[in-house]
Amino acid sequence: MTERAFQHPGINLAHAREEDHLHAEVTVFGFWVFLMSDAIIFAVLFATYASMTTRTNGGPTGAEVFQLSNAFIETLVLLFSSFAFGMASVALRESRVPTIYRWMGASLLLGLGFLGLELRELTGLIASGASPQVSGFLSSFFLLVSTHGLHVLAGSVWIVVMMVQIAVLGLRREVRSLLLRLGLFWQFLDLIWIVIFSVVYLPGVAQ
Amino acid sequence: MSDPWTGASTRIHRPQPSADATRERRGYIRGFGLALLLTAGSFGLVAFAHLPVAVLLPALGILALAQIVVHFRYFLDIDLSRSKREDLQLIQFSSLLILIMVGGSLWILYDLDQRMMS
């Protein structure tokens, strides 16, 4: 019963049994393969956006469409949410159930807040005549940002599901393993957002 | 066994404070601080420093890369240690694919743009 520390990314839970350890290692590696394929989807959307930035078709440009303050608030909300989930992962390691709920609830609320802000931004754009149909630039912008938004929505649903699972099943092995993967997914979404604000919003405002 | 990973039962485990958890908590806090600084740096450059685009874009790129590394290191717990080699190699391979696809697409489209519009 030797404990090998640091085998897979994400918060490592303490493993006492070799087969559990192997199971965790393999499933987490598989989840990384999924995350990286997802990253490639986003990369291609970024390439599409980057080649479309100047194709405004007489419609509004990035400088007219993007608000720096709004993007900054969205960034902060998502970063705080990511941090809150990190704290939930640490609490999971210590098996502190009330603390896990508290931090997961915080990251869920912040994630929903982010979605609300993004929805307000996108519907505001459509209302002001900057809808995806106007130009290649706006089509690729809406596609990229709403793909990320859909991921955040899926992650939020997953957080709710996991909170129910903790309540019903307790912190059993399968639940812990799923929480580990949810944590990776949630952190990954914040990673994508870094690229979104660095490639879309900041250069768009600066031009 | 008091180890949480062995518990297949439905009972809720007793909290187990551990030195590792303290270290990890500190890691998340440090990463969060660094990420906040880098984010503020990126937005600050655009909001307050009126740099020419030729300087601004590379600066934003470097800040974004730095923040990606911070997130991988502190939030996703990926570093250069030997036991995480496979995951690191997976990420490196994916990065290579992304570099080829994004770089190649932009290169070709820019080239076509130059030929057709000029």
Side-chain angles (χ1 to χ4, degrees):
Chain A
M1 295 257 183
T2 51
E3 185 181 323
R4 292 184 296 161
F6 288 116
Q7 282 290 334
H8 57 73
I11 286 279
N12 281 247
L13 306 166
H15 312 304
R17 293 195 307 212
E18 279 297 307
E19 66 265 31
D20 287 350
H21 195 113
L22 197 64
H23 173 77
E25 215 173 306
V26 170
T27 46
V28 169
F29 184 74
F31 197 72
W32 268 102
V33 174
F34 158 71
L35 286 182
M36 289 297 111
S37 340
D38 218 19
I40 285 172
I41 292 179
F42 278 108
V44 176
L45 290 179
F46 277 116
T48 311
Y49 175 81
S51 56
M52 288 284 185
T53 36
T54 53
R55 297 291 175 265
T56 52
N57 191 28
T61 62
E64 293 158 6
V65 165
F66 303 140
Q67 286 179 316
L68 199 60
S69 56
N70 197 48
F72 188 56
I73 295 168
E74 283 176 359
T75 304
L76 283 187
V77 168
L78 205 59
L79 187 58
F80 270 95
S81 175
S82 193
F83 174 71
F85 209 97
M87 289 290 108
S89 304
V90 176
L92 171 69
R93 192 185 174 107
E94 293 184 310
S95 301
R96 295 178 190 278
V97 174
T99 319
I100 296 174
Y101 277 133
R102 222 171 292 139
W103 285 114
M104 276 179 85
S107 53
L108 175 66
L109 285 181
L110 288 164
L112 292 177
F114 171 82
L115 281 177
L117 284 170
E118 196 168 86
L119 207 62
R120 199 188 62 175
E121 183 194 347
L122 295 185
T123 50
L125 283 182
I126 292 172
S128 68
S131 67
Q133 291 95 327
V134 171
S135 62
F137 158 65
L138 285 169
S139 306
S140 55
F141 165 72
F142 271 83
L143 183 63
L144 174 60
V145 171
S146 55
T147 305
H148 178 265
L150 280 178
H151 277 74
V152 176
L153 182 65
S156 305
V157 172
W158 194 2
I159 290 181
V160 174
V161 169
M162 287 321 296
M163 286 171 91
V164 173
Q165 282 204 10
I166 296 173
V168 175
L169 301 171
L171 285 182
R172 55 201 285 175
R173 195 165 57 227
E174 297 84 347
V175 176
R176 285 171 174 276
S177 167
L178 278 167
L179 280 169
L180 205 68
R181 277 171 270 166
L182 173 57
L184 290 178
F185 184 66
W186 201 249
Q187 307 291 356
F188 170 76
L189 293 184
D190 199 23
L191 205 71
I192 298 292
W193 183 258
I194 297 172
V195 188
I196 290 186
F197 78 69
S198 303
V199 169
V200 177
Y201 287 99
L202 294 180
V205 170
Q207 266 159 18
Chain B
M1 288 299 292
S2 61
D3 196 283
W5 193 252
T6 57
S9 68
T10 54
R11 84 192 156 80
I12 288 172
H13 303 276
R14 201 168 295 147
Q16 303 174 323
S18 69
D20 286 343
T22 312
R23 193 176 44 77
E24 270 155 12
R25 187 177 294 119
R26 211 172 290 142
Y28 274 110
I29 292 169
R30 192 176 301 145
F32 181 60
L34 281 173
L36 269 183
L37 276 181
L38 289 166
T39 302
S42 293
F43 278 86
L45 270 187
V46 173
F48 303 116
H50 296 284
L51 297 171
V53 174
V55 181
L56 181 69
L57 291 186
L60 286 177
I62 291 167
L63 283 169
L65 271 183
Q67 198 172 346
I68 287 172
V69 171
V70 165
H71 275 244
F72 266 121
R73 170 69 187 79
Y74 290 103
F75 290 172
L76 289 159
D77 217 14
I78 295 278
D79 55 33
L80 298 174
S81 64
R82 185 164 290 277
S83 58
K84 283 178 237 174
R85 265 309 132 77
E86 285 174 353
D87 300 278
L88 190 63
Q89 281 168 354
L90 175 68
I91 292 166
Q92 285 168 342
F93 178 63
S94 310
S95 309
L96 180 67
L97 284 182
I98 287 170
L99 204 69
I100 292 171
M101 287 194 295
V102 174
S105 304
L106 291 182
W107 182 14
I108 291 169
L109 283 171
Y110 179 75
D111 197 50
L112 280 176
D113 191 55
Q114 293 295 306
R115 285 162 190 270
M116 292 180 74
M117 296 299 176
S118 59

